[in-house]
Amino acid sequence: MTSTRKRVLVTGGAGFLGSHLCERLLDQGHDVLCVDNYFTGRKDNIAHLLSNPHFEAMRHDITFPLYVEVDEIYNLACPASPIHYQFDPVQTTKTSVIGSINMLGLAKRTKAKIFLSSTSEVYGDPTVHPQREDYRGNVNPIGPRACYDEGKRCAETLFFDYHRQHKLRIKVVRIFNTYGPRMHPNDGRVVSNFIVQALKGEPITLYGDGMQTRAFCFVDDMIEGWLRMMAAPDDVVGPINLGNPQEIPVKELAELIIRMTGSKSRIEHRPLPVDDPLQRCPDITRARALLGWEPTVPLEVGLEKTIAYFDRLLSERGEKTQRIVRLQA
Ligand code: NAD
Ligand code: UDP
């Protein structure tokens, strides 16, 4: 074992972002323990890592205590897509709150540094634009998104209280919409929905008038931000926004994906979900200053990679794809 090799716990490691993080940590020469209850994560996401002697996968629900010896913890476990986190909202809150208490307790006992993947949802439907970290948000505490939004807000509170009360080394980032290969094809998030619908020639389900905005960050950029945050000096505790400040109306995203896939799909309007934020865009001044980080992958480049991933996935499943194939090279 090299002196720089760490034992790193990744909760939610079989999910979309977690699986990319596990890969990067293994590339850096660390021992990775991936803990997941497979609620939204998939064994397929980590299958290629199982033969690596420095990787270990454990089925475990973090709402129950966990006793392992580690140097660093990335606490990612929590469903992230609205349909998944609203499926069992009580479990969503438990995962963020009780799960965080368990992982913070583990960090306290092992003196591990601990990271939280918080979210732009802590800003709710923001009245300040773009969102800076000192904006306190506009969250409906009793709406259908509250299990996720308030769960994460409470997780942040717990992290900062453990930091103040027990001197834990914490790292809190607020993630804005992130996309890329290994998103769950049925998780209802906009990028995966539109690409899968376009590839299958099904209607593109645009909620509302599509003028609501989001800013999309490619997964590789996001993971780079996380690693820089974890490696930053101990006084860099966050919260720090991580996301792409290039904002785009959802309607334009639909049109772009139709163009890029060569799909014949038509746009079909559906009602805007309750509490769907009308605009969202990060101010990343803090990330630039403290981590020297900003996204580098343009939207079209990231979308090409994501479309190629879903194209492969649907072909393997024998599901019809309408795409004019020009990404296979
Ligand atoms: P994901 O749903 O693919 O991954 C979440 C993982 O956590 C899954 O593997 C799931 O099975 C696991 N999990 C859920 N509850 C658990 C529990 N109780 N115990 C153990 N494992 C559990 O979502 P993702 O997009 O990879 O998100 C990862 C993290 O990043 C989440 O904390 C999410 O809130 C945060 N985040 C993601 C985005 C985004 O755009 N992808 C935006 C903001 C925040
Ligand atoms: N959206 C849409 N069609 C879909 C899925 C989502 O128009 O099939 C919209 C959704 O209403 C929201 C935006 O796309 O305004 C992003 O939704 P997502 O669920 O990806 O994440 P959110 O940012 O809302 O958490």
Side-chain angles (χ1 to χ4, degrees):
M1 181 166 139
T2 66
S3 59
T4 52
R5 175 173 292 158
K6 299 192 179 84
R7 298 161 302 174
V8 185
L9 167 63
V10 180
T11 77
F16 159 47
L17 295 176
S19 61
H20 286 275
L21 175 65
C22 289
E23 238 169 51
R24 284 289 301 273
L25 290 168
L26 289 168
D27 286 349
Q28 289 188 340
H30 300 302
D31 281 319
V32 176
L33 173 59
C34 163
V35 161
D36 205 295
N37 68 352
Y38 302 107
F39 173 52
T40 51
R42 288 173 296 160
K43 289 183 186 164
D44 280 355
N45 286 344
I46 51 167
H48 61 297
L49 305 178
L50 291 173
S51 59
N52 187 325
H54 297 294
F55 181 78
E56 194 181 342
M58 179 193 285
R59 181 189 287 272
H60 176 79
D61 181 330
I62 62 155
T63 62
F64 295 94
L66 177 67
Y67 293 90
V68 291
E69 304 308 315
V70 288
D71 304 304
E72 285 183 353
I73 303 169
Y74 286 84
N75 189 31
L76 318 180
C78 185
S81 95
I83 56 168
H84 284 152
Y85 69 64
Q86 290 171 26
F87 174 78
D88 185 350
V90 173
Q91 172 69 10
T92 299
T93 303
K94 277 188 184 172
T95 295
S96 276
V97 178
I98 301 175
S100 288
I101 291 173
N102 287 331
M103 292 308 107
L104 287 159
L106 174 61
K108 187 175 157 213
R109 182 178 62 76
T110 57
K111 301 189 169 43
K113 202 188 308 188
I114 182 166
F115 172 102
L116 174 68
S117 56
S118 185
T119 169
S120 53
E121 288 280 315
V122 301
Y123 302 123
D125 190 2
T127 54
V128 165
H129 199 71
Q131 292 80 56
R132 281 177 20 167
E133 292 86 350
D134 55 6
Y135 174 54
R136 294 189 185 173
N138 177 33
V139 172
N140 174 1
I142 56 168
R145 295 176 89 108
C147 58
Y148 185 69
D149 303 7
E150 298 288 16
K152 290 284 189 180
R153 286 169 72 99
C154 184
E156 287 196 12
T157 305
L158 286 161
F159 268 67
F160 278 85
D161 281 339
Y162 268 79
H163 174 61
R164 282 185 290 257
Q165 196 176 333
H166 300 297
K167 311 286 173 259
L168 243 63
R169 292 175 297 156
I170 61 160
K171 301 281 175 184
V172 176
V173 297
R174 294 182 178 153
I175 300 160
F176 286 64
N177 297 63
T178 303
Y179 70 99
R182 298 200 204 118
M183 290 184 89
H184 198 296
N186 304 322
D187 77 0
R189 280 188 272 193
V190 69
V191 173
S192 44
N193 261 16
F194 286 179
I195 293 177
V196 169
Q197 290 163 346
L199 290 174
K200 289 175 147 185
E202 292 172 352
I204 306 286
T205 53
L206 185 62
Y207 302 158
D209 61 6
M211 295 316 290
Q212 69 272 31
T213 66
R214 295 293 186 274
F216 298 98
C217 182
F218 189 62
V219 56
D220 293 356
D221 280 330
M222 181 56 61
I223 303 300
E224 177 62 29
W226 293 6
L227 295 171
R228 286 187 191 207
M229 180 64 172
M230 202 56 141
D234 284 351
D235 62 345
V236 179
V237 295
I240 294 188
N241 288 338
L242 293 179
N244 194 330
Q246 295 282 323
E247 193 180 358
I248 175 176
V250 171
K251 184 168 183 278
E252 269 181 40
L253 178 75
E255 290 162 351
L256 179 61
I257 289 175
I258 290 174
R259 233 182 8 259
M260 289 181 69
T261 52
S263 173
K264 296 192 176 58
S265 294
R266 289 177 178 282
I267 291 178
E268 229 175 65
H269 289 269
R270 301 273 168 86
L272 194 67
V274 178
D275 290 340
D276 196 284
L278 290 180
Q279 51 182 8
R280 188 188 288 149
C281 180
D283 180 320
I284 59 165
T285 309
R286 222 183 248 189
R288 283 195 175 107
L290 295 175
L291 308 178
W293 178 89
E294 64 184 355
T296 58
V297 181
L299 182 59
E300 293 212 14
V301 174
L303 284 178
E304 289 261 359
K305 294 184 180 178
T306 314
I307 291 168
Y309 166 77
F310 280 115
D311 197 36
R312 242 186 349 263
L313 191 78
L314 295 180
S315 305
E316 279 163 17
R317 293 177 174 189
E319 296 186 42
K320 195 171 160 227
T321 155
Q322 273 216 343
R323 192 161 144 263
I324 298 164
V325 180
R326 60 182 175 88
L327 304 172
Q328 302 290 9

